[in-house]
């Protein structure tokens, strides 16, 4: 079961192929290594992505990803029953759009919002603190030993992304504390929720904030009392120091909910929501790049249409009918062979701000899509 989940969407890659060749033997060898205590994680392969912002992604070998899935199947239910309902990241039945829906519901009910995010969240996660939190729910010595090995395998992977922060009581050796969870691991996403779970409990129980939600390292508090939110901000800064975390204090301000609050790629108002301008520009460049790839014969129409429908599905969660009409109205989709031959319908004379080629106005046609309409 664990290898099937790890291989989902990755069949045909070299790592999956190596494991699937003599699959039963390889899985039995992996099981023997785990039971005997000889299992050791492999080396990460790191690469950078630029969108939605620059991040260093570290991919574990496929063999290790099978272990991650098996481990999470064992320990995840123990923590899932403890998590607050308002934690929306990397959980079944939650997700980005559910978090935006709840955020807007709070905007309708409360006058003010305090939105914050953690500085260098994954590079800052302290291994000692994380293992203390995990050990409270993992009494088995062998399982905890495996957890420690996986956590330790991420030591130093994100050192280049971390800027040292000093906290009360630190000495010069604090700079040597093991820290950082590789972005890209299934375990890292899950352990991020575990790491901030005590903080969630602090906000809900000790501060008494009933209108609170979190998505990974982004969180928001709501109230009708502006002074109360400022007092909560000071308490939050102090409490996060216990986890060796900081927030972007200059960007963490109390704002009126009716003015629109940025949240997970949207600007949310009490009665409507918009897609952030940066997200629109990125989506437009991405769609034009996919269109050029299709006309060059690099991708199939099904792949092009999947990209278009994926963006439409996301944009529908905002009030974006005119925006979708504007962006999709310029996408003239021609048969790949015709496009390769005469380049008919695509003209590179006009460049949009993202550098993507635009067709002549005379050749504009209604957008073509095999999926549902754009409403």
């Amino acid at each position: 079961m664990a290898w099937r989940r790890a291989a989902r969407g990755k069949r045909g890659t070299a790592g999956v192929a190596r494991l699937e060749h003599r699959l039963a033997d390889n899985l039995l060898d992996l099981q023997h290594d785990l039971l005997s205590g000889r299992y050791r994680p492999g080396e990460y392969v790191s690469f950078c992505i630029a969108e939605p912002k620059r991040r260093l992604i570290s991919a574990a070998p496929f063999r290790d990803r099978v272990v991650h899935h098996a481990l999470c199947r064992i320990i995840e239910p123990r923590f899932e029953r403890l998590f607050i309902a308002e934690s929306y990241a990397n959980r079944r039945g939650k997700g980005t759009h559910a978090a935006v829906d709840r955020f807007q519901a709070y905007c309708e009910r409360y006058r003010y919002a305090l939105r914050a995010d953690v500085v260098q969240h994954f590079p800052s996660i302290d291994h000692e603190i994380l293992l203390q939190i995990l050990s409270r729910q993992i009494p088995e010595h062998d399982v905890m030993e495996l957890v420690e090995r996986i956590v330790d395998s991420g030591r130093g992977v994100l050192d280049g992304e971390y800027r040292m922060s000093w906290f009360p009581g630190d000495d010069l050796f604090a700079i040597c504390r093991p820290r950082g969870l590789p972005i890209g691991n299934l375990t890292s996403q899950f352990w991020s929720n575990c790491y901030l779970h005590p903080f969630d409990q602090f906000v809900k129980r000790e501060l008494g904030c009933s209108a609170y939600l979190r998505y990974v390292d982004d969180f928001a508090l709501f109230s009708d009392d502006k002074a109360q939110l400022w007092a909560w901000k000071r308490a939050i800064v102090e409490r996060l120091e216990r986890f060796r975390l900081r927030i972007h204090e200059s960007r963490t301000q109390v704002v009126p909910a009716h003015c629109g609050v940025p949240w997970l790629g949207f600007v949310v108002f009490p009665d409507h929501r918009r897609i952030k301008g940066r997200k629109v520009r990125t989506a437009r460049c991405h769609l034009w790049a996919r269109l050029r790839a299709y006309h060059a014969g690099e991708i199939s129409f099904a792949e092009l249409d999947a990209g278009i429908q994926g963006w439409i599905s996301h944009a529908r969660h905002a009030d974006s009918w005119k925006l979708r009409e504007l962006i999709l109205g310029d996408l003239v989709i021609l048969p790949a062979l015709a496009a390769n031959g005469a380049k008919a319908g695509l003209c590179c004379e006009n460049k949009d701000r993202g550098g993507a080629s635009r067709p002549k106005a005379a050749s504009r046609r209604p957008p073509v899509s095999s999926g549902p309409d754009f409403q």
Side-chain angles (χ1 to χ4, degrees), residues 339-359:
N340 285 332
K343 300 292 182 182
L346 275 182
C347 179
C348 299
E349 295 175 1
N350 299 321
K351 300 283 186 178
D352 67 4
R353 293 180 182 177
S357 302
R358 299 184 63 186

Side-chain angles (χ1 to χ4, degrees), residues 11 24 30 35-36 74 79 85 88 92 202 260 284 364:
R11 304 298 290 269
L30 179 57
L35 293 176
S36 64
I74 295 173
F79 289 90
Y88 283 89
R92 187 172 301 174
F202 164 74
R284 184 171 187 172
R364 179 176 295 186

Side-chain angles (χ1 to χ4, degrees), residues 13-30:
T13 61
V16 178
R18 278 193 294 269
L19 188 74
E20 288 186 334
H21 177 63
R22 299 178 59 198
L23 177 63
D25 291 339
N26 288 329
L27 291 178
L28 286 173
D29 289 344
L30 179 57

Side-chain angles (χ1 to χ4, degrees), residues 2-12 16 20 62 66 69:
W3 81 266
R4 285 196 181 96
R5 292 190 177 189
R8 191 175 298 162
K10 300 177 179 66
R11 304 298 290 269
V16 178
E20 288 186 334
F62 181 72
V66 174
H69 278 268

Side-chain angles (χ1 to χ4, degrees), residues 280-292 304 307-308 311 356:
V280 173
R281 291 190 291 273
T282 299
R284 184 171 187 172
C285 290
H286 175 73
L287 291 176
W288 272 97
R290 300 287 285 180
L291 181 63
R292 289 196 298 272
L304 170 65
I308 294 174
W311 182 78

Side-chain angles (χ1 to χ4, degrees), residues 203-225:
V203 174
K204 298 283 286 185
R205 296 183 178 183
E206 296 188 37
L207 295 185
C209 178
S210 58
Y212 164 78
L213 74 163
R214 179 176 62 81
Y215 188 92
V216 191
D217 61 320
D218 292 285
F219 58 91
L221 298 82
F222 292 82
S223 175
D224 289 324
D225 187 343

Side-chain angles (χ1 to χ4, degrees), residues 171-217:
D171 55 23
L172 292 178
F173 292 102
I175 199 170
C176 300
R177 293 179 68 100
R179 63 176 65 86
L181 293 180
I183 303 174
N185 275 3
L186 174 68
T187 50
S188 298
Q189 300 167 17
F190 170 61
W191 287 337
S192 167
N193 279 338
C194 297
Y195 196 79
L196 286 177
H197 171 66
F199 172 74
D200 294 339
Q201 295 290 348
F202 164 74
V203 174
K204 298 283 286 185
R205 296 183 178 183
E206 296 188 37
L207 295 185
C209 178
S210 58
Y212 164 78
L213 74 163
R214 179 176 62 81
Y215 188 92
V216 191
D217 61 320

